[in-house]
Amino acid sequence: MAQDYNNTLNLPDTEFSMRAGLPNKEPKMLQAWEEDGLYAKMVENNEGKPVYILHDGPPYANASIHMGTAMNKVLKDIIVRYKNMAGFKAPYVPGWDCHGLPIERKAMEEVRKNQKKEKKKTGQEPKALSDYEMRELCYDYAMRFVDVQRNQFKRLGALGDWEDPYLTLAPGYEAKQIEIFGEMAKKGYIYKGLKPVIWCAHDKTALAEAEIEYENDPVDTLYVAFQVKKDNGVLQKAGLDPEKVWFVIWTTTAWTLPANVAICLGPDFDYVAVKAGERVYIVAEALLESTMASCHISEYETLATFKGKDLERIETQHCYLDRRSLVILGDHVTLESGTGCVHTAPGHGVEDYDVVSRHYPELPMIVPVNDVGIFTEEVGPFEGMTIWEASPKIVEFLQQNGTAIGVTHETHQYPHCWRCHNPILFRATEQWFCSVEDFREETYKAIDSVQWVPEWGQGRMTAMVRDRADWTISRQRLWGMPIPVFYCEACGEYVIDDETISAVQELFAKEGSNAWFKYSAEEILPAGYKCKCGASQWRKEKDTMDVWFDSGTSHAYVLEKWKDHHWPADLYLEGSDQFRGWFQSSLLTAVATRGVSPYKTVVSAGWVVDGEGRKMSKSLGNGIEPEQVIKEYGADIIRLWVAAADYHADMRISKEILKQLSEGYRKIRNTARFMLGNLSDFNPDTDSVTDGELLDLDRWALAELDELAAIAKEGYDTFDFHKVYHNAHRFCVVSMSNFYLDIIKDRLYITPKNGSKRRAAQTAMFRILVSITEILAPILAFTSQEIWEYIPSFKGKQKYAVMHEMPKPGTYTLTETEREKWDTIIAITADVKKVLENARTNKEIGSSLEASVLLHCDDKLYSFTKDILPELADIFIVSEVQAVLDGEGEPGEVEGLKVEVRHASGDKCERCWQYRDSVSEGGSHPGLCDRCAGILSEA
């Protein structure tokens, strides 16, 4: 009967569990980190090092986080952790955007619910809330969700100054914002004017460009003819009867036609007069065919050709109202679509407004739509209708009066309010603006000074600034930062000067912006403050500031106020939508007040979409919440998801993707577990061998680690975290589990416990485990720390992996000759494994240790293999390897090599399982080969 020699083996031993159990482990770890002050210790550990500041873009404090906000916070945490491990002191102050319509709406919903309950209970109408009381409720609502989101972000493992975040509603922050507003006003950048703005009729407020989203809407594309009434002799000179000539415009917004005052042509474009029936139509020559086809006009004749500038100031009759529409010229006219004759309504379009206000100031700006989107009396028969109700009726009316000569039905992308999801309108209203045009050139220079990741961000930001003449900074809402402007009750003039700004700033610093609604204008202003006209009675501005102005001034408050911070920030990182939002508003306020960018580097991320690339929505039922993932897999899987893909593009997530990631995670974890199990009896300070005592295979494994360290450094430094994860995963699975660790099992299990070969393997494995744990610490925040706590203690080991420095590339290297040697060995091994697998499939062998491998080599390869033959049996994990010149075998990828596999001769050793002729049937160690017998005899 064979003896059991298991108790003579050095088998792995560790309490590090195979099953991750992250949903249960992570909360306990978080509690321990918080009680121990891990964040503060991490930052203090880097005292004296260069400071690196990632400035947090503040999320809205109005709801629980979603996968997009989770991705955002994990990306930032990866960077903060890495920078603190890469030679920097990198504090992180999280922030929240606490004003704005989303919070006001949610708070109002709660108020209405409570009032409804109160009325039902008492039978009486509840008392109406004052503006001050309503703002107090908005404040409470925002603070409630600051706490909710703070806990959710902490659950993701994000480290930061959570107990002292920055809030846009904090008195100090609001006071700084007033200061910035005042500086911009002093330079003449802030003004009040009547201009078209993006308007939400549902919420009755102006919107920023960053507050709209595009959706597909059905639309009537309308071709409308305007009859000439005064041609200034131009048409008659060409032999045309002016009364029969009509200019044809094109529009997809029929509701804007009542505000039409002009038809705009490209000055250098060619326009043709074509006869169709009794009428003569004027359109751009380049668009004649498409226009006629859309209007179903097949027979027409060209009578004359004009340059656009020749037709300037011809007067036409409005398509249904009793007024004239002037033919004007504009450089914004294109020949991409339409007719080349552009319907111009300066009350409803920015480009229309610009061309009219600059070159045709005599034209009126008509805005026949009120703040809830209802037509006023100027529109005649459509008065009292919403613009959406009126649009099809206008089309029908124009078809009946003969001016609508073509109608097509299409679906196009139209802007909608991102909060209420209703279509917006462009509508001229009195608003406060920031004139971006006044400091545009300085902004371009600032953009050029920034590193943009990806690089296309530079062009995108430049284009957005180029296309923006003004920034609408006022909102018709209650819950926001008041615009610190006072109006004289006597003459109506407004005032913004050093005295008024200083008074408001001091008040807000002391009591917060709610004080604006608590005190009268006279109580806020300096005692006896008078208008230029001599009056001293004042009223306050009712509008509040765009929330992008709120968050856009965060750099001035946070980067200068917080300990260990500096201005400008080293990094801003947000979603790509922030080119229209926070990236831009921060840039504009900084350039306007300081002349330079508030950030050195900008990194942008894509959107989170489902596994098929679709936007997540309740209607599709394809949404995945962070809480759901954490409950099933743990936060580290979310972190791995963030790091595993190129987040600069849209990030896909689905149950299938999460399963794949959890499998990848499992392989990394099991690799670490194997190494931990085989280091259970290893004391790094006393058992480590010198570099000279390492075997060639150990040195190869450390060189692979060195290469990973270089890739990881580059990946982290360039914000390409997917390179870090995928190469770390490949290292664990391919270089370690499938090769190195598999090969050294014999050394670890069989050779003497304290033998030099085993200690050499443990030394290499220890160094590898420490380094791979450090490399993955920014990504797998929980698992890396769990591994760290099981790694044997060593001199200099700190309590937390994140308090160690990243492994430095160049520590372990191979010469070019050594690298070529191992590349050849690995290639040969791959060919051998294929043949071994075939032999196993054909039942010629069971395990690979039953095999004897013959390498049939050409002269060059034979010379190479004979020198390393003693190493190859261990590398192939077989009992015997022979190299012979030429012969028959299975060819593979290696040139000059054929592989033959036979069953090994001799008997199986009961301890090492290798086949040896030296296996003894008797003696003190029956069933063992001479190697194993010798080991036990010396034990």
Side-chain angles (χ1 to χ4, degrees):
M1 180 177 177
Q3 287 187 235
D4 183 3
Y5 289 104
N6 279 346
N7 61 351
T8 71
L9 301 175
N10 310 310
L11 296 177
D13 180 22
T14 181
E15 292 182 4
F16 184 80
S17 60
M18 182 181 294
R19 292 181 61 85
L22 294 174
N24 294 323
K25 288 178 183 174
E26 289 174 347
K28 296 173 184 175
M29 296 179 77
L30 282 173
Q31 184 179 354
W33 294 354
E34 193 159 349
E35 291 173 355
D36 199 28
L38 170 57
Y39 165 73
K41 286 184 176 180
M42 177 183 71
V43 176
E44 290 165 6
N45 184 58
N46 294 311
E47 195 64 52
K49 296 178 181 178
V51 174
Y52 186 93
I53 301 299
L54 187 166
H55 180 40
D56 189 32
Y60 275 125
N62 72 319
S64 291
I65 68 171
H66 49 74
M67 287 307 298
T69 40
M71 177 187 77
N72 179 285
K73 201 60 70 176
V74 168
L75 284 171
K76 292 173 182 175
D77 190 58
I78 289 173
I79 293 168
V80 170
R81 286 172 177 264
Y82 169 70
K83 291 298 181 181
N84 277 292
M85 298 179 72
F88 296 93
K89 181 178 184 179
Y92 174 67
V93 176
W96 274 274
D97 205 344
C98 303
H99 291 129
L101 179 59
I103 293 168
E104 181 178 338
R105 179 183 288 148
K106 292 286 188 180
M108 280 299 300
E109 287 175 5
E110 291 191 358
V111 168
R112 292 191 188 100
K113 286 179 183 177
N114 292 335
Q115 287 179 335
K116 192 174 181 181
K117 289 179 183 177
E118 185 180 342
K119 182 178 179 180
K120 189 174 181 180
K121 184 177 179 181
T122 65
Q124 299 180 347
E125 286 291 337
K127 178 187 174 184
L129 296 176
S130 68
D131 287 350
Y132 184 85
E133 290 170 326
M134 188 62 224
R135 282 178 60 90
E136 287 286 295
L137 291 175
C138 290
Y139 177 95
D140 292 342
Y141 186 92
M143 291 305 297
R144 187 196 322 163
F145 276 99
V146 166
D147 284 337
V148 168
Q149 291 188 5
R150 175 175 18 219
N151 290 329
Q152 291 171 332
F153 288 142
K154 287 163 72 174
R155 180 62 186 87
L156 292 169
L159 298 177
D161 194 355
W162 294 110
E163 301 314 309
D164 189 22
Y166 79 88
L167 307 174
T168 61
L169 54 61
Y173 189 104
E174 294 179 327
K176 191 67 174 181
Q177 185 173 334
I178 295 298
E179 178 187 322
I180 295 294
F181 180 91
E183 288 181 30
M184 293 172 68
K186 188 188 296 186
K187 291 183 178 181
Y189 298 151
I190 305 294
Y191 72 95
K192 192 171 190 178
L194 178 65
K195 296 181 68 173
V197 297
I198 303 169
W199 186 267
C200 177
H202 178 272
D203 294 319
K204 294 182 287 186
T205 185
L207 298 175
E209 289 181 15
E211 295 172 317
I212 61 171
E213 58 187 12
Y214 286 84
E215 296 181 15
N216 288 325
D217 280 351
V219 65
D220 288 327
T221 299
L222 190 61
Y223 291 82
V224 184
F226 286 61
Q227 187 177 19
V228 172
K229 287 299 179 182
K230 182 179 179 183
D231 79 327
N232 303 321
V234 175
L235 302 178
Q236 294 181 59
K237 188 176 179 181
L240 303 175
D241 181 353
E243 291 187 2
K244 294 183 178 180
V245 178
W246 302 66
F247 282 80
V248 182
I249 65 95
W250 168 90
T251 184
T252 58
T253 52
W255 62 268
T256 62
L257 285 169
N260 176 280
V261 297
I263 298 168
C264 194
L265 312 182
D268 297 316
F269 295 160
D270 289 325
Y271 289 83
V272 290
V274 295
K275 188 174 187 302
E278 296 299 315
R279 291 181 178 181
V280 175
Y281 295 121
I282 291 182
V283 298
E285 185 175 32
L287 295 167
L288 174 62
E289 286 188 22
S290 60
T291 299
M292 294 295 103
S294 296
C295 296
H296 303 291
I297 299 173
S298 56
E299 294 184 9
Y300 52 89
E301 175 189 0
T302 301
L303 302 180
T305 302
F306 306 89
K307 286 293 183 184
K309 57 190 172 187
D310 298 333
L311 303 172
E312 184 182 17
R313 294 197 175 276
I314 288 177
E315 294 180 14
T316 68
Q317 178 64 40
H318 187 276
C319 55
Y320 82 92
L321 291 170
D322 185 18
R323 68 165 179 264
R324 300 286 176 90
S325 291
L326 186 68
V327 175
I328 63 175
L329 304 178
D331 292 333
H332 66 286
V333 179
T334 71
L335 299 177
E336 293 177 4
S337 59
T339 67
C341 303
V342 177
H343 155 50
T344 301
H348 291 307
V350 175
E351 288 181 326
D352 296 3
Y353 171 84
D354 287 343
V355 70
V356 167
S357 62
R358 290 178 182 179
H359 305 294
Y360 305 93
E362 72 274 17
L363 291 176
M365 182 163 62
I366 298 169
V367 190
V369 182
N370 68 15
D371 61 0
V372 291
I374 293 176
F375 273 134
T376 54
E377 60 183 355
E378 295 99 324
V379 301
F382 310 108
E383 179 184 358
M385 298 181 190
T386 69
I387 60 173
W388 316 115
E389 293 170 338
S391 280
K393 296 184 183 300
I394 292 173
V395 173
E396 184 181 353
F397 184 87
L398 297 183
Q399 286 176 312
Q400 291 174 355
N401 77 7
T403 58
I405 62 171
V407 181
T408 60
H409 306 287
E410 302 173 15
T411 297
H412 74 159
Q413 289 235 311
Y414 190 82
H416 289 62
C417 173
W418 73 336
R419 291 299 173 186
C420 67
H421 304 294
N422 287 296
I424 59 90
L425 56 146
F426 290 89
R427 172 177 177 264
T429 62
E430 269 207 324
Q431 302 289 337
W432 286 95
F433 297 94
C434 168
S435 178
V436 177
E437 193 170 6
D438 289 348
F439 54 94
R440 195 193 309 278
E441 292 304 319
E442 292 94 327
T443 306
Y444 289 154
K445 291 177 183 177
I447 293 170
D448 292 343
S449 72
V450 175
Q451 178 190 6
W452 299 89
V453 183
E455 291 182 356
W456 53 254
Q458 180 175 359
R460 184 170 185 181
M461 183 61 82
T462 301
M464 287 191 167
V465 171
R466 183 187 299 118
D467 294 341
R468 188 173 203 170
D470 293 294
W471 171 12
T472 311
I473 60 172
S474 53
R475 296 292 180 272
Q476 292 64 53
R477 306 309 309 172
L478 176 64
W479 181 233
M481 267 290 289
I483 292 180
V485 172
F486 299 88
Y487 296 87
C488 175
E489 291 283 24
C491 69
E493 290 294 315
Y494 68 78
V495 62
I496 314 171
D497 60 25
D498 288 344
E499 283 188 87
T500 62
I501 289 295
S502 180
V504 176
Q505 187 179 352
E506 289 176 13
L507 176 63
F508 285 10
K510 184 179 179 182
E511 298 187 36
S513 63
N514 278 9
W516 184 263
F517 300 85
K518 182 178 180 182
Y519 300 109
S520 67
E522 288 76 18
E523 288 175 307
I524 297 173
L525 288 167
Y529 185 83
K530 291 186 177 181
C531 178
K532 291 179 182 178
C533 73
S536 57
Q537 284 74 46
W538 301 89
R539 60 183 172 85
K540 298 171 291 183
E541 172 63 73
K542 292 183 178 180
D543 286 356
T544 53
M545 287 192 212
D546 175 14
V547 290
W548 297 110
F549 197 99
D550 285 18
S551 60
T553 56
S554 62
H555 61 87
Y557 180 65
V558 178
L559 299 180
E560 293 180 344
K561 176 183 182 295
W562 255 262
K563 179 185 176 184
D564 295 324
H565 277 55
H566 58 233
W567 199 101
D570 293 285
L571 177 66
Y572 274 34
L573 184 154
E574 299 299 330
S576 56
D577 57 322
Q578 296 308 314
F579 282 95
R580 293 192 301 168
W582 190 59
F583 291 160
Q584 188 175 156
S585 64
S586 298
L587 180 69
L588 295 178
T589 57
V591 173
T593 55
R594 307 183 184 208
V596 292
S597 169
Y599 38 70
K600 297 176 184 177
T601 301
V602 169
V603 175
S604 65
W607 295 91
V608 177
V609 295
D610 71 9
E612 297 177 22
R614 300 173 302 175
K615 181 180 178 180
M616 292 187 178
S617 69
K618 289 182 179 178
S619 60
L620 291 175
N622 62 343
I624 294 179
E625 298 300 323
E627 185 180 6
Q628 175 186 347
V629 180
I630 290 171
K631 186 176 180 181
E632 185 172 355
Y633 294 102
D636 257 0
I637 300 302
I638 291 181
R639 298 179 69 96
L640 199 59
W641 164 71
V642 172
D646 180 1
Y647 63 87
H648 301 304
D650 287 349
M651 293 274 289
R652 297 192 178 204
I653 189 167
S654 66
K655 291 180 179 179
E656 291 71 25
I657 289 171
L658 289 169
K659 285 178 183 177
Q660 292 170 7
L661 286 168
S662 63
E663 179 61 23
Y665 168 87
R666 186 184 65 81
K667 290 180 178 179
I668 292 174
R669 184 181 183 88
N670 285 349
T671 301
R673 185 173 185 270
F674 176 88
M675 288 192 270
L676 287 171
N678 284 283
L679 291 171
S680 59
D681 64 338
F682 182 73
N683 183 329
D685 296 331
T686 59
D687 296 332
S688 294
V689 303
T690 65
D691 288 355
E693 296 175 275
L694 295 172
L695 275 64
D696 282 356
L697 179 62
D698 303 324
R699 293 182 60 245
W700 171 85
L702 289 169
E704 287 286 289
L705 171 68
D706 200 87
E707 187 175 321
L708 173 63
I711 293 171
K713 184 180 187 306
E714 182 192 6
Y716 279 127
D717 286 343
T718 57
F719 310 103
D720 288 328
F721 309 132
H722 62 102
K723 292 181 181 178
V724 182
Y725 164 68
H726 287 295
N727 281 281
H729 179 266
R730 181 203 60 79
F731 175 80
C732 287
V733 175
V734 179
S735 300
M736 292 295 103
S737 294
N738 294 350
F739 192 72
Y740 178 69
L741 298 179
D742 208 19
I743 293 170
I744 65 171
K745 284 177 183 176
D746 186 82
R747 260 199 283 166
L748 293 170
Y749 300 168
I750 305 301
T751 62
K753 181 176 181 179
N754 296 312
S756 61
K757 289 186 177 180
R758 182 168 184 268
R759 290 306 190 197
Q762 287 180 310
T763 300
M765 198 164 48
F766 165 75
R767 294 178 184 178
I768 290 167
L769 181 58
V770 168
S771 294
I772 191 67
T773 305
E774 291 167 342
I775 287 170
L776 288 172
I779 296 171
L780 295 176
F782 296 97
T783 304
S784 63
Q785 183 56 31
E786 185 186 1
I787 294 169
W788 190 258
E789 290 171 6
Y790 281 94
I791 290 176
S793 180
F794 58 91
K795 185 179 180 181
K797 182 184 180 186
Q798 301 208 54
K799 186 175 181 179
Y800 298 101
V802 77
M803 291 172 69
H804 279 250
E805 288 198 0
M806 277 281 157
K808 289 182 171 56
T811 304
Y812 312 108
T813 56
L814 296 178
T815 65
E816 190 63 33
T817 300
E818 289 172 324
R819 174 58 67 185
E820 288 177 3
K821 166 192 167 181
W822 279 103
D823 287 347
T824 304
I825 289 174
I826 290 168
I828 293 172
T829 303
D831 280 355
V832 169
K833 285 190 173 182
K834 290 177 185 175
V835 180
L836 286 170
E837 186 58 38
N838 290 338
R840 194 178 290 112
T841 302
N842 296 331
K843 309 287 187 192
E844 296 169 15
I845 60 170
S847 76
S848 62
L849 286 173
E850 293 182 22
S852 173
V853 172
L854 274 72
L855 302 177
H856 299 279
C857 310
D858 62 11
D859 290 343
K860 182 179 178 182
L861 196 61
Y862 178 75
S863 177
F864 174 81
T865 54
K866 71 177 183 178
D867 293 333
I868 59 171
L869 212 55
E871 303 172 46
L872 293 182
D874 287 340
I875 291 171
F876 298 161
I877 315 177
V878 297
S879 290
E880 183 184 21
V881 177
Q882 298 177 55
V884 295
L885 281 168
D886 299 324
E888 295 302 318
E890 293 186 39
E893 299 297 322
V894 177
E895 186 177 351
L897 174 68
K898 294 178 182 178
V899 180
E900 181 183 356
V901 170
R902 301 172 181 171
H903 197 287
S905 61
D907 297 314
K908 177 181 178 183
C909 174
E910 297 296 336
R911 186 170 180 271
C912 69
W913 295 6
Q914 292 186 13
Y915 281 74
R916 291 283 185 266
D917 292 333
S918 62
V919 173
S920 171
E921 295 183 4
S924 56
H925 302 296
L928 298 191
C929 66
D930 54 356
R931 179 184 64 150
C932 288
I935 291 170
L936 295 189
S937 296
E938 294 174 8

